[in-house]
Amino acid sequence: MKLHDLDASGNCYKVRLFAALANIELDIEAVDMANGAHKQPTIVDLNPLGQLPILQDGKHVLRDSQSILVYLAGAYGGLAWWPAHPQGQAEIVQWLASAANPVPHLARWMQRIEELPGYLPKP
Ligand SMILES: N[C@@H](CCC(=O)N[C@@H](CS)C(=O)NCC(=O)O)C(=O)O
């Protein structure tokens, strides 16, 4: 199973971290993003967005870190990582959605917390 990867990428790191935790072996293929390799046909044919990570499992190609995490957990992680019941699955997707865009989410949470009376001291 091949992961088209960028060492410095947080989205790629999520996938590498989970694979390590769940003992899933990945063949890591470094993509030379600094020289534009992610916009070349080798990558764009797999992901028209020209973004990393991309997972290739045989003929199966996935192009988003959240979907790759769900796939790895469901296909290889076992029940410890991907429960059988919809409630547990939905809770996992809920956290993946929150983590998908951490900076805007964090800004919104901070704004809401500030609006709660007495929660934070006013400067
Ligand atoms: N939603 C995607 C975002 C992927 C993404 O933004 N990847 C960055 C590296 S962290 C990238 O490839 N950027 C290059 C570009 O957008 O041209 C995911 O979660 O995998």
Side-chain angles (χ1 to χ4, degrees):
M1 198 160 31
K2 184 181 284 187
L3 180 72
H4 298 269
D5 181 60
L6 175 70
D7 196 46
S9 153
N11 289 314
C12 296
Y13 177 71
K14 284 188 282 186
V15 175
R16 295 196 308 271
L17 176 64
F18 176 65
L21 287 171
N23 289 316
I24 299 168
E25 200 170 314
L26 293 177
D27 170 17
I28 307 282
E29 177 114 338
V31 176
D32 186 1
M33 191 178 277
N35 286 310
H38 59 306
K39 301 301 179 192
Q40 298 304 312
T42 324
I43 294 300
V44 174
D45 286 352
L46 298 172
N47 177 6
L49 301 177
Q51 292 184 325
L52 303 169
I54 303 167
L55 184 81
Q56 269 184 299
D57 190 8
K59 281 190 251 168
H60 209 62
V61 178
L62 289 168
R63 60 157 177 82
D64 179 273
S65 58
Q66 274 68 239
S67 80
I68 293 171
L69 291 172
V70 165
Y71 175 72
L72 290 178
Y76 298 103
L79 288 178
W81 291 104
W82 189 251
H85 49 98
Q87 173 83 29
Q89 294 172 358
E91 282 176 20
I92 291 171
V93 172
Q94 182 173 264
W95 280 109
L96 289 174
S98 299
N101 216 348
V103 173
H105 278 294
L106 185 62
R108 227 166 290 132
W109 290 336
M110 292 300 288
Q111 193 183 3
R112 294 219 181 105
I113 285 171
E114 273 179 359
E115 285 163 5
L116 292 175
Y119 201 89
L120 286 179
K122 291 285 172 212

